[in-house]
Structures are given as structure tokens and as C-alpha cells.
Amino acid sequence: MVKSQCFEKVGLKKGPWTPEEDQKLLAYIEEHGHGSWRALPAEAGLRRCGKSCRLRWTNYLRPDIKRGKFNLQEEQSIIQLHALLGNRWSAIATHLPKRTDNEIKNYWNTHLKKRLDKMGIDPVTHKPKADSFGSGSGHSKGAANLSHMAQWESARLEAEARLVRESKLSVPNPPKNILSSAVSAQVSNKGSAPPTARPQCLDVLKAWQGVVFSMFSVRSSGSLSGSLESPTSTLNFSENALAIPLVGVQKNPTTTLAFATNNATCNRGTTTTEFDGGNQLECFEKLKEPAQGKRNLESSMAIHDISPYASDHNAWFVDSSANENAPMGNIIDGFSEILACNSLDHSPTCSGENINDNYAGNLEDNYWNSLLNLVDASPTGSSVF
DNA sequence: AATTTCCACAACCGCACCCGG
DNA sequence: CCCGGGTGCGGTTGTGGAAAT
């Protein structure tokens, strides 16, 4: 298909936007909405292509955009989500309120990637660079397994999201709130203004963490080794329950995660499974990887904390402070330490310290030790799931 | 003070998907 | 089912300011 591209049109301006152009675009959208981006420039008196206007709006002018330096929580979120989702910036942005995919992408490329690199962690795989099975500490292998699991879990979650979505689509007149804002915006409001509200929780991340948590609970009981066999999802739907077996971890169906809901449509408010400290199973949106690598938001399920994301530093982890049996906070503590010591604005505990090899090595250890310590500390059959 | 290099980020580009006709 | 317009997305480039020489 041959399409006329923006840049092919003569007389259209390219490059940085001027304040006057911004003002014109803002004024027009405030008054008329953007409607068709292609038609907008002419109607707004701009000599720009529609695509350029859309980008300027979505990445810069939108009023619900938070600008400025990323805080520690956001950095942690990006790193963890990137480990889980890879370079799917729009998906990551979905879980970082008021941040755009472009901003996150740029921040990753200019800051976080380098920081991880400096720590001796491959920013692509999130594995220690010098990882060699059997030659290092036992943690290396564990870390590799963890990363491997993360990849499989990512694939599995995506596949399950598709199934959940298909299931939902088959339900007539789904209740409100089944789809969270971003999904709703994409599904039912396509072509209109971008979603102005983003989910307030890192549902995918939490779901994954919960699964990993369970995985290592299994490992602790000695049944994990050599059990990674297939990422194939076997998500089961029944009339009253959604069951997500720990495929790829172990085959024992008795450890299936039973996501009990009143119906397969995962209606918010029909939660029946409650965890310690107020963590509940609830509907959520997650990210799926459609065929051929394109990205979309879809619907699925997740565990999330009913405490507001913004009000709790660690709220997007299963709340360890509220549940002594679920020390998820260890992870974030580790990340906090790592990031604080690597950020430009050094923390008091490591201010002015150059990162030499040993230090970087320690940080790398912390990165994985945080995860593995968590694992070691987790009780078998945690009530988290 | 002039020039070069580095860095951060805004913007561009092209591909792929969605959807209506 | 096919086609084409509209849009979303991720990778890449361009630009301007800061730092270094």
C-alpha cells in the first residue's frame, strides 16, 4: 500500500514547534477536540502534517502529562516493567500515570539503560552480563532462571490476556468498569482523544511478581528444578472460576492458581479472593502481544492492592508491610538501594562514590539478591496466591 | 573566546494494525 | 474478502544546550 506521508507534502513545516504553533494547536483542540488529525492542521491554521500535530499533542501539550525528572518509584517501575515487557513503551507507559511512552523511552535510553549497564546488568535481558552457569555463585543460575521465567511469564500473560479478552468479547453488555480507562479508551473511543486517565496500579507487574513468588515457593520445596518446559498457556475458564496453572513451573495441578470470580468476565466488584493486608484479586488490564509484534492494550486479570497507588510507596508490590508472609518489599528495597546509589543525585549513603568494578559487582548482586532473598524468605504455599 | 564533543530530549519516520466502506 | 484511510507504536535522527578542550 502506498500512502502519502507527511513529509512528502510540500510546504509543510518540520522540526521543533514554536510557542505560537503550540498555542494554535492547544486552542484548537480545547475548542473543537482533535477529531481527524489529518484535517486538523488546516482547520487550526497550522502548516504541519496531522501526524506531527498528534505527536506534539500526545507527547507534549496534553494537559495530563507530568513533566520533569522521573522519581525513584518511576525508575523502579520502568526497570521492572522493561524486564517484563521489553521495549514496549506504550505498554510500560500505561502503568506510569501521566508519563508518555516517548518520555519513558527517552529516559530509558539516556539514563536507565546506561545505569544498568554500569551495574553490569544487560539492559536488554536484565541478566548479569558476566553470567556463566556453574562458574559463579549459585545466584547466577538462579538469576538466569528468574529472567527466563520472567520471559515466559510475559508470554504467558499475553496469551492469557488474549483469551480473557476473547472471553469478554463474547459476553453481551459487559458491566461498566470491566475495562479500565485506557482499554475503554482504545476499544470504545478509538479515534478520539487519548485516554486521560491511566490505571493506577502496576497490575501486570504485580501479577508477574505474584507468579514468580509462587514459583519460588515451589522451588523452596524442591520441586522446581528442571521444570521449565513450556510457556504454553492452559488458562481455563469455567463458569465460576478462572484458573491459571503455573505452566512452565511445575505440572502439579494442585498448585494451580485459582482466580475465583463470579463469572468469566472478571467484573470489578465481584472479587471473591482476598489476600492478607487487603490485597485482592481484581480485574485489570494488561498488555498483550498481538500477532506480528504489534502492541495493544487488552484486558485480563491481576492481583492488585486496593490501597491507592499514589499513596503508598510500595503499593504496586504485594504489600509486604501488611503481610508478613509476603516479603515483597525486599525487592523494592534492593532497587531503591541500587538506584539511589547510581542516580545522579546520590543518596547520603553513597554520595560522591564512583562506581568501580567491585561496587558495580555489589550492585549487581544486590539486584538479584533482592529477588532471590525474597524467594528464600518466602514460605511455601504463601497466601499471596 | 572559539571550537569540539557530549548529552538529553523532541520530533520524525516507516511499519503494522484497526476499521469502515 | 479486499482496499485504503486513520492511527498507534517503536526505532532513529536532529537539534540545542552544557561541558570539555
Side-chain angles (χ1 to χ4, degrees), chain A residues 229-277:
Chain A
E229 293 177 359
S230 168
T232 306
S233 171
T234 57
L235 180 65
N236 298 320
F237 290 97
S238 64
E239 187 171 343
N240 295 310
L242 175 64
I244 303 180
L246 287 173
V247 177
V249 178
Q250 42 83 41
K251 294 178 181 176
N252 184 354
T254 62
T255 56
T256 292
L257 300 174
F259 288 163
T261 64
N262 287 350
N263 58 59
T265 63
C266 184
N267 185 9
R268 179 186 288 266
T270 61
T271 300
T272 60
T273 303
E274 183 163 353
F275 304 114
D276 295 349

Side-chain angles (χ1 to χ4, degrees), chain A residues 158-178:
Chain A
E158 287 159 5
E160 286 167 359
R162 281 193 290 275
L163 288 172
V164 170
R165 175 184 171 234
E166 285 159 13
S167 169
K168 286 180 178 176
L169 291 175
S170 69
V171 177
N173 304 319
K176 286 184 179 178
N177 297 330
I178 284 179

Side-chain angles (χ1 to χ4, degrees), chain A residues 292-310:
Chain A
Q292 300 182 11
K294 288 303 284 187
R295 293 76 49 187
N296 269 326
L297 287 171
E298 294 301 344
S299 305
S300 186
M301 303 180 67
I303 308 302
H304 83 74
D305 194 320
I306 57 177
S307 62
Y309 167 75

